[in-house]
Amino acid sequence: MEAQATAAVKEALAALYHHPDDATRTAADRWLQQFQHTLDAWQVADSLLHDESSNMETQIFCSQTLRSKVQRDFEELPSEAFRPLQDSLYALLKKFSKGPQKVRTQICIAMAALAVHVPVEDWGGGGIVNWLSDEMNSQQDFIPSFLELLTVLPQECSSHKIAARPERRRQFENDLRSSAEVALSLLTACLGIDQLKEQVLEGFASWLLTSELIHFTVSRESNGITEQLPLIQVLIPYVMGLKEQLKDSSKDEEDVKAIARLLADMGDSYVELIAAGSDDAMQIVNALLEVTSHSEFDISSMTFNFWHHLMRNLTDRGSYASYGSEVSINTERNRRLQLFRQPFEILVSLVSFRVEYPELYHTFSEEDQRDFRHSRYAVSDVLLDATDVLGGDPTLKILFTKLIQACGNGQNQKWQPVEAALFCIQAIAKSVSVEENEILPQVMSLLPSFPHQEQLLQTVCSLIGAFSKWIEAAPSELLILPPLVDILNKGMSTSEETAAAASVAFKYICEDCRRKFSGSLDGLFQIYQIALSGVGGYKVSSEDSLHLVEALSVVITTLPPDHAQRALELICQPVINPLQTGMGYTDHGVRTCGRFMGFTIGAMLEEIQTLYQQHNQACFLYLSSEVIKIFGSDPACANYLASLIQALFGHTIQLLRTIQDFTARPDIADDCFLLASRCIRYCPDLFVPTEMFPRLVDCAMAGITIQHREACKSILSFLSDVFDLAKSPEGEKYRELINTVILQRGAVLTRIMVASLTGALPSSRLEEVSYVLVSLSRSFGGNMLSWARECITLIPPQALTDSERSRFLNIISDASSGSSLGSITDRFAEISEVCRRNKTVQDIVQGALRPHDLSFTVAPPPL
């Protein structure tokens, strides 16, 4: 088996690096990634690394594989495998002492990860640092490898790639602290070796934990910056001395990241000193601009927090309180803003290109596309920070220069740089004055000339919406609006993404330019009818059509009452027509016109019930939640609303019976439980005492573990609202009823929530899951402790030890006795981390709790 697996790995690597066909290379890459998660990967990677005939590609892949296996999957191995693994890694460390460095680094990280996993006595009683000391004294030919291992030990100490329990991680941190003197002595002894001097300095940087020292100098325990100036004056030159290594192409990427992080930490921690604007401070600012200019976004973005905090310090009047008089404050503030003007101008130029779409964006995975979108949002924040220092109009001038450069002479023009410049201009829209009359007229005049490439058109539409207030204030003789409406029309017919941006932009310009549209209602209604009918080539989704409804509703508010009523009927007509019911309803119209619709509410709600049951469109649930928000407390509407609630929830429960149903219909789940939460807040009398309430609690339990973020949050918020209502003074009359419903389901609900905490839901849901668990604990005390004990005992000991079980039950007990939500959430996070520390453990935990297989009786519908 091992021979077959080894041959398969060699074949896949050859295909990955040398096959001419893209599809073949992609398939090979996918196979290799899957192989890294197998048990065979241990032996194959180790064997190929020891094989003298393995080429560089094989060595790099196998060293990465072995490193990731030690980090994540160490628990796959039997306890007796530690010693052979340690011996093998040690032999590899010596083998690759002189390179390749990439391979040696991976072996060092693997050994460091192994040290995190196992107790100190497994390394001979003195721990890995003392073991290293002995080896360095007796095996001096391999000192470069030993030095690199010594350097990565403190770096890996806090690495969450290592699937170690938090308690073991803390023990390792303590072990390193107690070994620091030995480590520093070893580094000092190596200083005399000229060819290793740079490597030794890196070791000192790692072991002195420079970032920790920087953080200490500004912590409460340090008595403030003034007390720590002597230490700060040592730290800053040391860190600044590392700056030149940012440009060193021979440096390993991890080394560059570490240096960049040190510079960013220094800037962020000493922002008060830097903001004073001394010559030394400006050198630090220039160094941070160099980090920002780095080609890797992960490195460049390390400085973004610094620029934000510097902006806050420069613009916040509280920063100048010590200057006393208003005149002195203004003088100093203006001096600093002028001094930092050029760095922030450079910053705008440095970050603006980072939003440019890569040539091969269409080949990106969904995760990579999401990361790119997040990087654009981060750049938007930096640009807004810059406008606070420079002003919106001057920042616009810088970005307009970028736009003109991107447009070039019009020949062979690429769309990506144009889109990037427009995206940045759109990002600062709120900071640009409505009186700006130099740049924006030129920008608006350029927009119709750009090609209708999808991403570019999407950004153009967003820009139009972002500058709606400026468009309203622009002189009428500029005739800006008609060509922009033509662009939005094109956006609605190009793709769903451009249609979404165009619909939102249309809403904004109708809101801000409503009086300019009041004489063009026929044209607006034509756009609306085409969008909802689906026959005019528009690609507006049912959700985005609601923006058009809101846009028209706003314009309607400028009309006389008799004209407004007729216009409102025209908005509703496409929905009343059964051929067009699937495209949405007037929920934004309801929200905008409010109680003006009171006279039609009964007929409208009956229509909603019928249409929802026919077409299963989530927009009817969302519309109903808006109706509840506006009319929920109106006694005159109670009968209509009670009928609506029963009909909508009754039908939804039939649609959402299993987690698979929830996954297939996340929009319905999201809007159903948004509606349920609003019923609890605005009209609990119409919902909680009915037979529909326990049935909807059962429905929520079936869908808690849905992966869709918004749907999951809506369900958890509904459950939280239920518990909060029972504890509130105004909910006292429902308390017994709610308690009865939850007590019947408590054991199953607790098990689902514990499963969610330990891996059934992403860790990003920790806060919402914790709140539900805390609410259960506070409401049901001893019962909750019993339910928690019952489900936690299902988890096998290889995933959760007895002490960890006890710790979890203590958290539940403390939550019921009133401990703060923040501290409880932090403690839940540690248990969550233990149960997610690697895929194997997570699978064991979920296999034990089996949240998707739990059965509970849904209250039957009335006959």
Short mmCIF file of all heavy atoms in Angstrom, two decimals, residues 653-685:
data_model
loop_
_atom_site.label_atom_id
_atom_site.label_comp_id
_atom_site.label_asym_id
_atom_site.label_seq_id
_atom_site.Cartn_x
_atom_site.Cartn_y
_atom_site.Cartn_z
N ILE A 653 -43.71 26.10 8.30
CA ILE A 653 -43.35 24.88 9.04
C ILE A 653 -43.44 23.65 8.14
O ILE A 653 -42.64 22.70 8.28
CB ILE A 653 -44.26 24.74 10.28
CG1 ILE A 653 -43.83 25.78 11.34
CG2 ILE A 653 -44.19 23.34 10.87
CD1 ILE A 653 -44.80 25.92 12.47
N GLN A 654 -44.37 23.68 7.21
CA GLN A 654 -44.46 22.55 6.28
C GLN A 654 -43.29 22.55 5.29
O GLN A 654 -42.88 21.49 4.82
CB GLN A 654 -45.79 22.63 5.49
CG GLN A 654 -47.04 22.61 6.37
CD GLN A 654 -47.06 21.43 7.33
OE1 GLN A 654 -46.83 20.29 6.91
NE2 GLN A 654 -47.32 21.70 8.59
N LEU A 655 -42.75 23.72 5.00
CA LEU A 655 -41.63 23.82 4.07
C LEU A 655 -40.29 23.46 4.72
O LEU A 655 -39.37 22.99 4.05
CB LEU A 655 -41.53 25.24 3.51
CG LEU A 655 -42.70 25.75 2.67
CD1 LEU A 655 -42.47 27.21 2.28
CD2 LEU A 655 -42.89 24.91 1.42
N LEU A 656 -40.16 23.73 6.04
CA LEU A 656 -38.88 23.58 6.74
C LEU A 656 -38.99 22.49 7.79
O LEU A 656 -39.17 22.75 8.98
CB LEU A 656 -38.47 24.91 7.39
CG LEU A 656 -38.34 26.12 6.46
CD1 LEU A 656 -38.02 27.39 7.26
CD2 LEU A 656 -37.27 25.89 5.39
N ARG A 657 -38.84 21.25 7.37
CA ARG A 657 -38.97 20.12 8.30
C ARG A 657 -37.63 19.53 8.70
O ARG A 657 -37.48 18.99 9.80
CB ARG A 657 -39.84 19.02 7.67
CG ARG A 657 -41.31 19.39 7.55
CD ARG A 657 -42.11 18.27 6.92
NE ARG A 657 -43.53 18.52 7.04
CZ ARG A 657 -44.28 18.16 8.08
NH1 ARG A 657 -43.71 17.56 9.11
NH2 ARG A 657 -45.56 18.41 8.12
N THR A 658 -36.63 19.61 7.83
CA THR A 658 -35.32 19.02 8.09
C THR A 658 -34.23 20.05 7.81
O THR A 658 -34.48 21.08 7.18
CB THR A 658 -35.07 17.79 7.20
OG1 THR A 658 -34.98 18.24 5.83
CG2 THR A 658 -36.21 16.78 7.32
N ILE A 659 -33.02 19.74 8.25
CA ILE A 659 -31.90 20.66 7.99
C ILE A 659 -31.66 20.79 6.48
O ILE A 659 -31.24 21.85 6.00
CB ILE A 659 -30.62 20.17 8.72
CG1 ILE A 659 -29.52 21.26 8.64
CG2 ILE A 659 -30.13 18.86 8.16
CD1 ILE A 659 -29.86 22.55 9.32
N GLN A 660 -31.97 19.74 5.73
CA GLN A 660 -31.84 19.83 4.28
C GLN A 660 -32.82 20.84 3.69
O GLN A 660 -32.49 21.58 2.76
CB GLN A 660 -32.06 18.45 3.64
CG GLN A 660 -30.97 17.43 3.90
CD GLN A 660 -31.06 16.80 5.29
OE1 GLN A 660 -32.09 16.91 5.96
NE2 GLN A 660 -29.98 16.13 5.72
N ASP A 661 -34.03 20.88 4.26
CA ASP A 661 -35.02 21.88 3.82
C ASP A 661 -34.51 23.29 4.10
O ASP A 661 -34.64 24.20 3.27
CB ASP A 661 -36.36 21.68 4.53
CG ASP A 661 -37.02 20.36 4.18
OD1 ASP A 661 -36.74 19.83 3.09
OD2 ASP A 661 -37.82 19.86 4.99
N PHE A 662 -33.92 23.48 5.28
CA PHE A 662 -33.39 24.80 5.63
C PHE A 662 -32.27 25.20 4.67
O PHE A 662 -32.19 26.34 4.23
CB PHE A 662 -32.86 24.79 7.07
CG PHE A 662 -33.91 24.99 8.11
CD1 PHE A 662 -34.68 23.93 8.56
CD2 PHE A 662 -34.13 26.24 8.68
CE1 PHE A 662 -35.65 24.10 9.53
CE2 PHE A 662 -35.09 26.43 9.65
CZ PHE A 662 -35.86 25.36 10.08
N THR A 663 -31.39 24.24 4.38
CA THR A 663 -30.26 24.53 3.49
C THR A 663 -30.73 24.89 2.10
O THR A 663 -30.14 25.76 1.43
CB THR A 663 -29.32 23.30 3.44
OG1 THR A 663 -28.87 23.00 4.76
CG2 THR A 663 -28.13 23.57 2.55
N ALA A 664 -31.82 24.24 1.65
CA ALA A 664 -32.35 24.52 0.31
C ALA A 664 -33.10 25.84 0.26
O ALA A 664 -33.22 26.44 -0.82
CB ALA A 664 -33.28 23.38 -0.12
N ARG A 665 -33.61 26.32 1.40
CA ARG A 665 -34.43 27.55 1.42
C ARG A 665 -33.93 28.51 2.51
O ARG A 665 -34.69 28.88 3.41
CB ARG A 665 -35.89 27.21 1.67
CG ARG A 665 -36.55 26.28 0.65
CD ARG A 665 -37.98 25.97 1.07
NE ARG A 665 -38.64 25.03 0.20
CZ ARG A 665 -39.36 25.36 -0.87
NH1 ARG A 665 -39.50 26.64 -1.18
NH2 ARG A 665 -39.95 24.44 -1.60
N PRO A 666 -32.67 28.95 2.46
CA PRO A 666 -32.17 29.80 3.54
C PRO A 666 -32.87 31.15 3.61
O PRO A 666 -33.00 31.73 4.69
CB PRO A 666 -30.68 29.97 3.19
CG PRO A 666 -30.62 29.74 1.71
CD PRO A 666 -31.65 28.71 1.42
N ASP A 667 -33.33 31.66 2.46
CA ASP A 667 -34.01 32.96 2.47
C ASP A 667 -35.34 32.88 3.22
O ASP A 667 -35.70 33.79 3.98
CB ASP A 667 -34.24 33.45 1.04
CG ASP A 667 -34.93 32.43 0.16
OD1 ASP A 667 -34.93 31.22 0.51
OD2 ASP A 667 -35.47 32.82 -0.90
N ILE A 668 -36.05 31.76 3.06
CA ILE A 668 -37.31 31.59 3.78
C ILE A 668 -37.03 31.44 5.28
O ILE A 668 -37.72 32.02 6.13
CB ILE A 668 -38.09 30.37 3.23
CG1 ILE A 668 -38.68 30.73 1.87
CG2 ILE A 668 -39.18 29.93 4.20
CD1 ILE A 668 -39.51 29.65 1.24
N ALA A 669 -36.00 30.66 5.64
CA ALA A 669 -35.65 30.51 7.06
C ALA A 669 -35.29 31.85 7.68
O ALA A 669 -35.75 32.19 8.77
CB ALA A 669 -34.49 29.52 7.19
N ASP A 670 -34.47 32.61 6.98
CA ASP A 670 -34.04 33.92 7.48
C ASP A 670 -35.24 34.82 7.74
O ASP A 670 -35.42 35.36 8.84
CB ASP A 670 -33.10 34.54 6.44
CG ASP A 670 -32.54 35.89 6.88
OD1 ASP A 670 -32.68 36.25 8.07
OD2 ASP A 670 -31.95 36.58 6.03
N ASP A 671 -36.11 34.98 6.74
CA ASP A 671 -37.23 35.92 6.88
C ASP A 671 -38.32 35.39 7.79
O ASP A 671 -39.02 36.17 8.44
CB ASP A 671 -37.79 36.25 5.49
CG ASP A 671 -36.83 37.12 4.68
OD1 ASP A 671 -36.04 37.85 5.31
OD2 ASP A 671 -36.85 37.06 3.45
N CYS A 672 -38.47 34.06 7.88
CA CYS A 672 -39.45 33.50 8.81
C CYS A 672 -39.11 33.85 10.26
O CYS A 672 -39.97 34.31 11.02
CB CYS A 672 -39.51 31.98 8.64
SG CYS A 672 -40.44 31.13 9.94
N PHE A 673 -37.85 33.67 10.63
CA PHE A 673 -37.50 33.89 12.04
C PHE A 673 -37.26 35.37 12.34
O PHE A 673 -37.34 35.77 13.50
CB PHE A 673 -36.34 32.98 12.43
CG PHE A 673 -36.79 31.55 12.53
CD1 PHE A 673 -36.57 30.65 11.49
CD2 PHE A 673 -37.49 31.11 13.64
CE1 PHE A 673 -37.03 29.35 11.55
CE2 PHE A 673 -37.94 29.80 13.72
CZ PHE A 673 -37.72 28.91 12.67
N LEU A 674 -36.98 36.17 11.31
CA LEU A 674 -37.03 37.61 11.50
C LEU A 674 -38.46 38.03 11.84
O LEU A 674 -38.69 38.82 12.76
CB LEU A 674 -36.56 38.33 10.23
CG LEU A 674 -36.78 39.84 10.19
CD1 LEU A 674 -35.94 40.54 11.26
CD2 LEU A 674 -36.45 40.42 8.81
N LEU A 675 -39.42 37.48 11.09
CA LEU A 675 -40.83 37.75 11.37
C LEU A 675 -41.21 37.28 12.78
O LEU A 675 -41.90 37.99 13.52
CB LEU A 675 -41.69 37.04 10.32
CG LEU A 675 -43.21 37.05 10.54
CD1 LEU A 675 -43.75 38.48 10.57
CD2 LEU A 675 -43.91 36.25 9.43
N ALA A 676 -40.74 36.09 13.17
CA ALA A 676 -41.08 35.57 14.50
C ALA A 676 -40.53 36.46 15.60
O ALA A 676 -41.21 36.72 16.61
CB ALA A 676 -40.52 34.15 14.64
N SER A 677 -39.29 36.95 15.43
CA SER A 677 -38.71 37.86 16.43
C SER A 677 -39.51 39.15 16.53
O SER A 677 -39.73 39.68 17.63
CB SER A 677 -37.26 38.18 16.07
OG SER A 677 -36.41 37.09 16.36
N ARG A 678 -39.95 39.64 15.40
CA ARG A 678 -40.74 40.88 15.44
C ARG A 678 -42.11 40.64 16.07
O ARG A 678 -42.65 41.53 16.73
CB ARG A 678 -40.86 41.46 14.03
CG ARG A 678 -39.54 42.07 13.58
CD ARG A 678 -39.65 42.85 12.30
NE ARG A 678 -38.40 43.58 12.05
CZ ARG A 678 -38.13 44.23 10.94
NH1 ARG A 678 -39.03 44.27 9.96
NH2 ARG A 678 -36.99 44.88 10.79
N CYS A 679 -42.67 39.46 15.88
CA CYS A 679 -43.93 39.14 16.57
C CYS A 679 -43.73 39.17 18.09
O CYS A 679 -44.58 39.67 18.83
CB CYS A 679 -44.44 37.77 16.14
SG CYS A 679 -45.09 37.72 14.45
N ILE A 680 -42.60 38.63 18.56
CA ILE A 680 -42.32 38.63 19.99
C ILE A 680 -42.15 40.05 20.51
O ILE A 680 -42.60 40.38 21.61
CB ILE A 680 -41.06 37.78 20.27
CG1 ILE A 680 -41.39 36.29 20.10
CG2 ILE A 680 -40.52 38.03 21.67
CD1 ILE A 680 -40.21 35.37 20.24
N ARG A 681 -41.53 40.91 19.71
CA ARG A 681 -41.26 42.27 20.19
C ARG A 681 -42.46 43.19 20.06
O ARG A 681 -42.67 44.06 20.92
CB ARG A 681 -40.09 42.86 19.39
CG ARG A 681 -38.78 42.16 19.65
CD ARG A 681 -37.71 42.59 18.67
NE ARG A 681 -36.57 41.67 18.68
CZ ARG A 681 -35.60 41.67 17.77
NH1 ARG A 681 -35.63 42.54 16.79
NH2 ARG A 681 -34.61 40.81 17.84
N TYR A 682 -43.26 43.04 19.00
CA TYR A 682 -44.31 44.02 18.72
C TYR A 682 -45.73 43.52 19.01
O TYR A 682 -46.62 44.33 19.25
CB TYR A 682 -44.24 44.48 17.26
CG TYR A 682 -42.97 45.22 16.94
CD1 TYR A 682 -41.94 44.60 16.23
CD2 TYR A 682 -42.78 46.53 17.35
CE1 TYR A 682 -40.76 45.28 15.94
CE2 TYR A 682 -41.61 47.22 17.07
CZ TYR A 682 -40.59 46.58 16.37
OH TYR A 682 -39.43 47.26 16.09
N CYS A 683 -45.96 42.22 18.97
CA CYS A 683 -47.31 41.72 19.23
C CYS A 683 -47.28 40.31 19.83
O CYS A 683 -47.84 39.38 19.25
CB CYS A 683 -48.15 41.73 17.95
SG CYS A 683 -47.41 40.84 16.55
N PRO A 684 -46.60 40.13 20.98
CA PRO A 684 -46.50 38.79 21.56
C PRO A 684 -47.87 38.17 21.87
O PRO A 684 -48.02 36.95 21.82
CB PRO A 684 -45.69 39.01 22.84
CG PRO A 684 -45.81 40.47 23.13
CD PRO A 684 -45.93 41.15 21.81
N ASP A 685 -48.87 39.00 22.17
CA ASP A 685 -50.22 38.48 22.47
C ASP A 685 -50.81 37.71 21.30
O ASP A 685 -51.62 36.80 21.48
CB ASP A 685 -51.17 39.62 22.83
CG ASP A 685 -51.02 40.04 24.28
OD1 ASP A 685 -50.49 39.24 25.07
OD2 ASP A 685 -51.43 41.17 24.62
#
